Amino acid sequence: MPLQIDSFLFILRILLVILLYLFLMQVVLAITRDLRKSATGEDGGGARAKTIGHLVVVNSGPSNLMPGTRFALEPQTTIGRGPTNTIQISDPVVSAEHSRVWFRNGSWYVQDAGSSNGTYVNSQPAREALPARPGDIVSVGYIQFKLTQ
């Protein structure tokens, strides 16, 4: 009799481990699918806003961004570390919502969103909205971007 109970418990343990691995595999597949969807710009519910410009990393400072990395600019773009930003930069120097960039009447405007490390357009602090043209350098913390169309 004890041999049967031990065998039964052993089989239950094996089934539990198998179920645990199947669950973990489903989690990994769901995360991978979500990352691929966000990398291709799909959001499932509708089309994203039209890309009308880019910020290209010129100097990444101490961050892990590679120079030449391009970020798409939409008519209303926010830059920061938080998940609700259009451009998310996971760097401790970048605030949760660091900067705002928008396109209005044929011109770009850049403004700091109350960050602790500042936003600059061509080395000029952007505490108030500053106009920016393609070719200008926009600094978010220690990271420098070039504004392009």
Side-chain angles (χ1 to χ4, degrees):
M1 185 87 164
L3 185 59
Q4 291 177 347
I5 292 175
D6 288 341
S7 303
F8 179 71
L9 290 176
F10 180 70
I11 292 171
L12 279 178
R13 286 181 187 160
I14 290 175
L15 288 175
L16 180 66
V17 169
I18 290 172
L19 287 174
L20 182 63
Y21 276 109
L22 287 173
F23 173 75
L24 289 175
M25 188 170 56
Q26 289 295 321
V27 169
V28 169
L29 288 173
I31 291 172
T32 304
R33 194 176 323 122
D34 188 46
L35 286 174
R36 283 188 184 141
K37 186 187 293 185
S38 64
T40 59
E42 301 172 12
D43 62 2
R48 291 186 59 99
K50 180 181 171 190
T51 299
I52 55 175
H54 291 90
L55 285 177
V56 180
V57 177
V58 175
N59 182 356
S60 61
S63 76
N64 59 359
L65 291 174
M66 297 297 295
T69 304
R70 295 170 61 93
F71 293 97
L73 289 174
E74 298 175 358
Q76 296 284 330
T77 301
T78 57
I79 302 170
R81 200 175 59 238
T84 60
N85 291 292
T86 312
I87 298 175
Q88 294 177 11
I89 300 174
S90 58
D91 187 305
V93 173
V94 176
S95 297
E97 185 176 327
H98 198 101
S99 307
R100 296 180 192 102
V101 180
W102 66 93
F103 190 74
R104 186 170 297 136
N105 299 328
S107 296
W108 286 103
Y109 294 91
V110 177
Q111 184 177 13
D112 188 69
S115 69
S116 47
N117 292 311
T119 302
Y120 301 86
V121 176
N122 295 327
S123 301
Q124 184 178 0
R127 290 182 202 99
E128 300 296 321
L130 290 178
R133 293 173 303 200
D136 285 352
I137 300 297
V138 177
S139 301
V140 175
Y142 300 126
I143 304 167
Q144 293 181 337
F145 298 95
K146 185 176 191 177
L147 179 64
T148 63
Q149 285 295 82

